[in-house]
Amino acid sequence: GVLAWRLLADRTPDIEARTAGDQRGYYLTDATLTEMGADGAPRIVLHAAQVEQQLSDQSVVLADLSVDYNTADSGTWKLTADRGRLLSDATSLHLSGNVVVTGEEARGEAVILTDNLTYETRTGIVQTAEPVALRFGPHRLEGRGLRVALNEGRLRLESNVHGRFNP
């Protein structure tokens, strides 16, 4: 289920805390939300230092966040960023500022670094059109644009790819 994502996206007037002239709905600090998978184990665990609902578009703004995404076939992926915005329908999480995606793969740990990234919550796809740096094991690649299918552990750099492969 998408309970945690829906909880963030839904209006919750009973916990709405706003002052006159303020355009935010609920506001949480040091929040952890967990979405369980069909097997009863945590599928997505989101932690943020601050969570704030924006009444103007019902989106949710997050600060200093991390997301653990557990997959059946390609292990656990961790996404961290300075900021995030979850759209009102809870299908996309836009990450910005020091975005790091880390996951284990056959050749070792894979690390993706960029400034902006979109995480599609239902499909497990992360993508960006921005410059990216990728490290896996001793290898390094840089490029512009990236698409990663986290569930399959499949990654594609889009253009301007340069790299160094060490034995």
Side-chain angles (χ1 to χ4, degrees), residues 21-98:
D22 214 353
Q23 291 300 308
R24 70 179 188 206
Y26 58 81
Y27 182 83
L28 307 168
T29 58
D30 197 24
T32 300
L33 298 165
T34 303
E35 176 183 308
M36 306 306 276
D39 60 358
R43 187 176 85 89
I44 300 172
V45 178
L46 180 143
H47 179 81
Q50 297 176 341
V51 178
E52 182 179 323
Q53 181 191 33
Q54 305 298 299
L55 291 179
S56 60
D57 63 2
Q58 298 301 311
S59 67
V60 177
V61 175
L62 307 121
D64 192 16
L65 69 136
S66 67
V67 178
D68 291 331
Y69 181 74
N70 298 301
T71 69
D73 295 329
S74 64
T76 299
W77 291 84
K78 183 174 196 75
L79 294 80
T80 60
D82 294 340
R83 296 169 301 284
R85 179 178 291 269
L86 182 65
L87 298 184
S88 63
D89 63 3
T91 60
S92 293
L93 176 61
H94 299 284
L95 304 172
S96 60
N98 299 309

Side-chain angles (χ1 to χ4, degrees), residues 83-157:
R83 296 169 301 284
R85 179 178 291 269
L86 182 65
L87 298 184
S88 63
D89 63 3
T91 60
S92 293
L93 176 61
H94 299 284
L95 304 172
S96 60
N98 299 309
V99 179
V100 179
V101 179
T102 308
E104 290 293 324
E105 56 103 45
R107 291 173 293 269
E109 182 179 67
V111 178
I112 300 164
L113 307 167
T114 189
D115 284 329
N116 293 289
L117 188 75
T118 299
Y119 167 46
E120 302 297 332
T121 61
R122 292 198 171 95
T123 62
I125 302 284
V126 295
Q127 57 190 351
T128 185
E130 301 289 323
V132 296
L134 168 65
R135 295 189 318 249
F136 57 97
H139 312 298
R140 306 220 183 290
L141 292 171
E142 294 178 356
R144 177 172 283 283
L146 168 90
R147 180 178 170 89
V148 181
L150 298 178
N151 291 329
E152 293 88 37
R154 190 176 61 232
L155 178 143
R156 182 178 72 212
L157 286 169

